[in-house]
Amino acid sequence: MKIPVLEIFGPTIQGEGMVIGRKTMFIRTAGCDYSCSWCDSKFTWDGSEKSNIQLLEPEEIWEALTEEGGDRFGHVTISGGNPGLLAHLNELVKLLHEKNMNIALETQGSKWQPWFIDIDDLTLSPKPPSSGMQTNFEKLDQIIDRLRQDQNGTFSLKVVIFNEDDLTYAVNMHQRYPDVELFLQVGNDDLETMNNEKLLGHMLRNYEQLIDLVMESHVLKDVRVLPQLHTYLWGNKRGV
Amino acid sequence: MKIPVLEIFGPTIQGEGMVIGRKTMFIRTAGCDYSCSWCDSKFTWDGSEKSNIQLLEPEEIWEALTEEGGDRFGHVTISGGNPGLLAHLNELVKLLHEKNMNIALETQGSKWQPWFIDIDDLTLSPKPPSSGMQTNFEKLDQIIDRLRQDQNGTFSLKVVIFNEDDLTYAVNMHQRYPDVELFLQVGNDDLETMNNEKLLGHMLRNYEQLIDLVMESHVLKDVRVLPQLHTYLWGNKRGV
């Protein structure tokens, strides 16, 4: 079954979340059930790059990965869009495991897929109020319950923070799922600038502010607060 | 039994290694069996702050932690110096666990302690050639074998990289212990500057260079490459 792919690149580092710093290849799938106001990959769902979507068999994806990365990688990250929409992604997961790859995947957790349990590093990133999206907590509860029971790898929650409402949302998330590791990530609110130095200073100030708020919290004790390292290194550039 | 302590501070984020970003309190013990050329905490072993060393019972350390951090933390990081020199640190580990804390500890892995198996996030950071130190691999083998068998938490290796010899050392480390998660960390070679902006630019360039080298490697596939986030945020400032 063919998979809609917009980008394959790497190896590079994973710049964020539970395996931050990990040497990895990236596969970016097209299509999303959300349309977050601050999405940094709008091209995956806004139609602007519809003509660039490649429909690829798992074997073809593997060929593209090895063409880019040679034999210099052991980890593949599947991102989107929302790759959790693709019921038949299990075939790619199976193939990558046959090739001895570890697999990370990121999804907002709006839809369950049985193959989630085979993802080595699964990030659920429900979207906070600033996104303009609504979290279906009933569905998220179900997904997290199934992962608690069956997951073969590890999974975590990640919430991007742009403002205090988002932080309140993260607090609720932490109280709802206290046993699930929670990553708070500084939101990038300047996706347009090509002035990397300006962006870096701005993002570091935002990071420090978020740290200050979390350090004051009596509820957010067992959390991790992280930036997007790729933004520090390469600004808003794509494909790095 | 009293423990020699030089710093207690937090909560802040752990800026590096396996739990990068984690909200944590820091305890810095005095004393080290090494004298790394680029050590960023020389005051723990060079005698310059001998008069500031406090000899504290575990209960007194807990009091100091709560005085600083109130009830706003659930994680404590023990660093040094080399806290792995302190045979009786088991009492502090026990007390912190009774207080429902998670515990991280960093040691170069030059000496085994039975209480290592109770550390939740244990980092072994053997020192590469640029440090001027010699790794006792026989001892490190023994420590890693015991951790593989008995460790109740998780443990990882971390190597700080200043030059290509250090990277070769890391490659050997990865080949010797392929099953142990390996973190490569950018070395800070300007510990004196108080110009944070200059340091930031310099450290980001070093980080990008290290990433480039690791991405080209056919051996370093399953590694993580990370900066020291506290240096990006606060430069060479102590106690943050």
Side-chain angles (χ1 to χ4, degrees):
Chain A
M1 287 276 286
K2 289 184 187 296
I3 295 161
V5 174
L6 263 172
E7 291 183 325
I8 291 176
F9 62 93
T12 184
I13 57 151
Q14 168 57 267
E16 61 187 64
M18 67 192 288
V19 288
I20 190 168
R22 186 66 157 84
K23 183 179 183 178
T24 192
M25 298 293 297
F26 279 93
I27 303 169
R28 193 180 294 285
T29 61
C32 198
D33 46 333
Y34 277 19
S35 53
C36 296
S37 61
W38 37 253
C39 178
D40 60 2
S41 304
K42 281 189 174 156
F43 61 91
T44 61
W45 50 264
D46 69 1
S48 61
E49 300 203 16
K50 213 173 166 182
S51 61
N52 293 334
I53 298 170
Q54 289 189 284
L55 292 169
L56 301 176
E57 295 286 345
E59 274 292 352
E60 292 173 304
I61 291 176
W62 178 249
E63 277 165 34
L65 287 167
T66 53
E67 198 169 315
E68 281 288 317
D71 64 345
R72 294 175 288 119
F73 64 95
H75 190 273
V76 177
T77 300
I78 306 171
S79 186
N82 180 10
L85 296 179
L86 304 169
H88 55 286
L89 210 64
N90 63 316
E91 295 172 22
L92 177 63
V93 171
K94 186 161 168 277
L95 179 69
L96 291 174
H97 276 154
E98 283 167 10
K99 304 291 187 186
N100 293 317
M101 296 293 116
N102 279 294
I103 306 172
L105 186 133
E106 176 161 342
T107 176
Q108 55 263 53
S110 53
K111 188 172 164 51
W112 169 255
Q113 297 290 352
W115 50 259
F116 280 178
I117 62 169
D118 294 319
I119 301 297
D120 301 284
D121 311 306
L122 178 66
T123 296
L124 300 178
S125 57
K127 305 306 175 189
S130 64
S131 68
M133 300 296 110
Q134 290 280 341
T135 302
N136 182 333
F137 276 100
E138 204 182 330
K139 190 145 277 177
L140 191 60
D141 285 351
Q142 287 167 7
I143 290 175
I144 287 180
D145 274 345
R146 296 196 64 166
L147 292 173
R148 280 181 181 131
Q149 287 165 40
D150 297 326
Q151 232 251 347
N152 297 312
T154 53
F155 73 101
S156 69
L157 282 160
K158 185 177 74 176
V159 177
V160 183
I161 309 290
F162 285 84
N163 59 37
E164 295 209 18
D165 282 352
D166 292 354
L167 197 63
T168 303
Y169 174 92
V171 167
N172 292 337
M173 194 67 65
H174 193 44
Q175 289 174 319
R176 195 174 185 105
Y177 313 111
D179 57 314
V180 181
E181 193 164 31
L182 175 61
F183 290 79
L184 304 182
Q185 179 173 303
V186 191
N188 179 357
D189 54 6
D190 190 354
L191 296 166
E192 297 303 321
T193 185
M194 287 294 139
N195 183 336
N196 291 356
E197 208 170 328
K198 191 183 133 216
L199 181 65
L200 173 62
H202 177 63
M203 292 307 297
L204 273 169
R205 280 190 297 277
N206 287 356
Y207 185 29
E208 192 168 8
Q209 276 173 21
L210 179 58
I211 289 170
D212 286 345
L213 289 171
V214 174
M215 295 310 120
E216 286 307 312
S217 169
H218 297 257
V219 181
L220 297 170
K221 293 182 185 179
D222 297 307
V223 297
R224 289 170 71 174
V225 191
L226 286 173
Q228 293 181 303
L229 290 175
H230 49 285
T231 308
Y232 288 6
L233 287 161
W234 302 301
N236 286 318
K237 196 176 166 192
R238 257 175 73 177
V240 282
Chain B
M1 287 276 285
K2 289 183 187 295
I3 296 161
V5 174
L6 263 171
E7 291 183 326
I8 291 176
F9 62 92
T12 184
I13 57 151
Q14 167 58 268
E16 60 187 64
M18 66 191 288
V19 287
I20 189 168
R22 185 68 157 84
K23 184 179 183 179
T24 192
M25 297 293 297
F26 279 92
I27 304 168
R28 193 182 293 285
T29 62
C32 198
D33 46 334
Y34 277 20
S35 54
C36 297
S37 61
W38 38 251
C39 179
D40 59 3
S41 303
K42 281 189 172 155
F43 61 92
T44 61
W45 52 264
D46 68 1
S48 61
E49 300 203 15
K50 212 173 165 182
S51 61
N52 294 333
I53 297 171
Q54 290 190 283
L55 292 169
L56 300 176
E57 295 287 345
E59 275 292 351
E60 294 173 303
I61 291 176
W62 177 248
E63 277 165 33
L65 286 169
T66 53
E67 198 169 314
E68 281 287 318
D71 64 344
R72 294 175 288 120
F73 63 95
H75 191 272
V76 177
T77 300
I78 306 170
S79 186
N82 180 10
L85 296 178
L86 304 169
H88 54 286
L89 210 65
N90 62 315
E91 295 170 22
L92 177 63
V93 171
K94 188 162 165 277
L95 179 68
L96 291 174
H97 276 154
E98 283 167 11
K99 304 291 186 186
N100 293 318
M101 296 292 117
N102 279 295
I103 307 171
L105 186 132
E106 175 159 345
T107 176
Q108 54 264 53
S110 53
K111 189 170 163 53
W112 169 254
Q113 297 291 354
W115 50 259
F116 281 179
I117 62 169
D118 294 319
I119 301 296
D120 301 284
D121 311 306
L122 178 66
T123 297
L124 301 178
S125 57
K127 305 305 176 189
S130 63
S131 69
M133 299 296 109
Q134 290 280 342
T135 302
N136 182 334
F137 276 99
E138 205 183 325
K139 191 146 275 177
L140 190 59
D141 285 351
Q142 287 167 7
I143 290 175
I144 287 180
D145 275 345
R146 295 195 64 167
L147 291 173
R148 279 181 181 132
Q149 287 164 40
D150 296 327
Q151 234 253 346
N152 297 315
T154 53
F155 73 102
S156 69
L157 282 161
K158 186 176 73 175
V159 178
V160 183
I161 309 290
F162 285 84
N163 58 38
E164 295 209 18
D165 282 352
D166 291 354
L167 196 63
T168 303
Y169 174 92
V171 166
N172 293 337
M173 194 69 64
H174 193 44
Q175 288 174 319
R176 195 174 185 106
Y177 313 111
D179 57 314
V180 181
E181 193 163 30
L182 175 61
F183 290 79
L184 304 182
Q185 180 173 302
V186 190
N188 179 356
D189 54 5
D190 190 354
L191 294 167
E192 298 303 323
T193 185
M194 287 294 139
N195 183 334
N196 291 356
E197 206 169 331
K198 191 184 132 215
L199 182 65
L200 172 63
H202 177 62
M203 292 307 297
L204 273 170
R205 280 189 297 277
N206 288 356
Y207 185 29
E208 191 167 9
Q209 276 172 23
L210 180 58
I211 290 171
D212 286 345
L213 288 171
V214 174
M215 295 309 120
E216 286 306 312
S217 169
H218 297 256
V219 181
L220 297 170
K221 293 181 187 180
D222 297 308
V223 297
R224 289 169 70 173
V225 191
L226 287 173
Q228 293 181 301
L229 289 175
H230 49 284
T231 308
Y232 288 6
L233 287 161
W234 303 301
N236 287 317
K237 196 175 167 193
R238 256 175 75 177
V240 282

